[in-house]
Amino acid sequence: MSIKDLRVDGARLRRSLETMAAIGATPGGGVQRLALSDEDKQARDLFVRWLKEIDCEVSIDEMGNIFGRRPGKNRELPAVMSGSHLDSQPKGGRFDGVLGVMGALEVMRTLHDHKIETERDLVIVDWTNEEGSRFAPAMVSSGVWVGKLERDWAYSRTDINGLKQGDELARIGYKGETPARAFPIHANYELHIEQGPMLEAEGRTIGAPKGVLCLHWYDIRLTGTANQVGPTPMAGRNDCLLAAAEMIQTVNKVAHLKGDMVATVGEIHNYPNSRNIIPDGVHFTVDIRSWEDDHAIGAWEVMRREFEAIADRHGTPIEMEITWRVVRAPFAEELVQNVLDTAAELGHSSLYMVSGAGHDCSYINQIAPAAMIFIPSKGGRSHVEVEESSWEDCEKGANVLLHCMLTSAQQL
Ligand code: HGY
Ligand code: MN
Ligand code: MN
């Protein structure tokens, strides 16, 4: 069979996705596989087993990133890499992240079945804690790997129960010895569901993002004056939840200032959260994204000033933390073109677009040529239990990944 006629085994890809979906399955048909949870460990152990079944060299680094390497003929050449993440949102979907890891595994299985030799090594990877839901920020382990985030800072990040990311890595047995530091990469591809409505709306099969928006995360903490709700007059209260409500309105208002921007308050904690106590503490998060980095920066400056004015008016002490910022990731044009050309050669329609969702590929893009391959999300939904993509599109995306990786792996 000529290399051009090589195709993945769609049924086997479906089986591996269904097997993974059973790990942390939720009653609503989604998954809960929070980073470094027992479910994440279960999925990791299975991935490692599958890598060993096809004779990949397995390594686990200090951030728990799992690498499976398939030797090429010229081992000293920079490798071709592909991967994504096995961790999920609290009530996440069965495709976000895991498609990119299982799709890459299916590529390796296909090459293994057909005994295909490549010039360059191929490496596939499960990046630890891409979601940033349990331990903020997102994409933390690819961020450490490319040298943009500090390992010990990442280790120190805590979840809502005060557990540290580094301790949880050790607890599940994935705090590896290998330094979490980039090795030479010739090209990096990430297969992922679009998580938005564009491909479906345009009736296209393969998305070729020109890049990923910048992502900026902030944590806002307010201090109120708790009291019994009954006897305390309305005048003179320091009600920090009321102040927070006005700030949340501000986030939404500012987001509309620029067409390429989105801003969201997705997480809020109210203390002591009792209906008959005026709250004495509120913690909420702000997520701002835009294609132009300075739009998101400018939006934050407006929000920050308005938050200060609101806090002042309520007499509410406020702390604002710039938690995390990752710059916009414009992907390598020649790799994006390779995605578009490969989709066409395989007979699939494609769409040149932008990714509003963050991905590990954003960080890899800062040290090596990178690009992504999207498939449609039904109803444009994601980060929800009803997240859905068709098995046929999963197979098509994996075939585009297979041939993009082969094209790059044969380049000398
Ligand atoms: O936030 C994101 O877009 C990704 O799910 N980490
Ligand atoms: Mn993802
Ligand atoms: Mn996600």
Side-chain angles (χ1 to χ4, degrees), residues 104-379:
L105 176 68
E106 180 50 40
V107 166
M108 300 287 250
R109 283 171 164 168
T110 302
L111 298 176
H112 184 262
D113 291 345
H114 296 272
K115 299 183 179 42
I116 304 288
E117 256 207 309
T118 53
E119 292 297 336
R120 297 171 180 272
D121 283 10
L122 296 183
V123 177
I124 68 173
V125 54
D126 164 33
W127 296 108
T128 298
N129 186 23
E130 186 282 337
E131 293 292 0
S133 175
R134 180 183 176 196
F135 302 100
M139 300 127 70
V140 64
S141 302
S142 50
V144 170
W145 193 74
V146 301
K148 295 293 179 185
L149 297 175
E150 288 295 317
R151 182 203 64 188
D152 292 343
W153 176 79
Y155 281 170
S156 71
R157 303 298 290 168
T158 55
D159 69 5
I160 198 165
N161 302 311
L163 294 173
K164 286 186 179 171
Q165 184 154 228
D167 296 342
E168 284 294 279
L169 259 177
R171 182 185 69 82
I172 66 166
Y174 277 90
K175 195 172 189 179
E177 301 292 317
T178 311
R181 226 182 348 268
F183 44 77
I185 293 296
H186 175 63
N188 179 75
Y189 294 96
E190 181 169 357
L191 171 63
H192 206 285
I193 54 173
E194 177 201 344
Q195 301 183 288
M198 296 295 289
L199 287 172
E200 192 176 66
E202 301 286 331
R204 310 288 177 84
T205 305
I206 298 295
K210 68 176 182 179
V212 179
L213 301 184
C214 72
L215 280 78
H216 296 175
W217 281 11
Y218 303 92
D219 284 83
I220 315 301
R221 292 177 177 83
L222 305 173
T223 307
T225 308
N227 216 330
Q228 225 277 17
V229 297
T232 310
M234 293 307 286
R237 286 185 176 195
N238 166 19
D239 181 340
C240 57
L241 189 53
L242 178 61
E246 291 178 28
M247 293 174 191
I248 292 168
Q249 291 275 5
T250 300
V251 171
N252 188 273
K253 181 186 72 177
V254 174
H256 289 86
L257 293 179
K258 296 284 183 193
D260 68 336
M261 186 157 64
V262 290
T264 315
V265 174
E267 184 178 346
I268 184 165
H269 304 277
N270 178 54
Y271 306 97
N273 213 34
S274 166
R275 70 183 66 211
N276 44 9
I277 301 177
I278 301 167
D280 63 5
V282 168
H283 166 213
F284 68 88
T285 63
V286 179
D287 172 311
I288 308 174
R289 307 183 186 198
S290 58
W291 180 249
E292 298 301 337
D293 292 69
D294 60 3
H295 288 175
I297 297 283
W300 168 246
E301 282 312 308
V302 173
M303 289 179 198
R304 190 181 56 75
R305 281 197 302 273
E306 294 213 12
F307 289 177
E308 277 171 353
I310 293 167
D312 201 36
R313 194 159 13 90
H314 285 269
T316 301
I318 182 170
E319 286 172 30
M320 295 186 261
E321 181 189 357
I322 303 176
T323 307
W324 172 62
R325 285 176 171 167
V326 58
V327 294
R328 168 183 87 189
F331 290 147
E333 287 175 12
E334 72 273 13
L335 266 58
V336 176
Q337 194 55 53
N338 189 19
V339 173
L340 292 166
D341 295 346
T342 305
E345 283 155 23
L346 291 170
H348 305 319
S349 58
S350 60
L351 181 68
Y352 183 68
M353 58 193 295
V354 171
S355 174
H359 301 285
D360 293 302
C361 211
S362 283
Y363 273 126
I364 313 306
N365 181 66
Q366 295 187 20
I367 59 152
M372 293 191 76
I373 300 158
F374 279 175
I375 66 165
S377 291
K378 287 185 180 171

Side-chain angles (χ1 to χ4, degrees), residues 382-401:
S382 182
H383 281 190
V384 290
E385 293 173 296
V386 295
E387 179 183 280
E388 184 78 37
S389 290
S390 74
W391 299 118
E392 296 72 27
D393 286 346
C394 290
E395 181 175 355
K396 290 170 184 171
N399 276 320
V400 173
L401 178 64

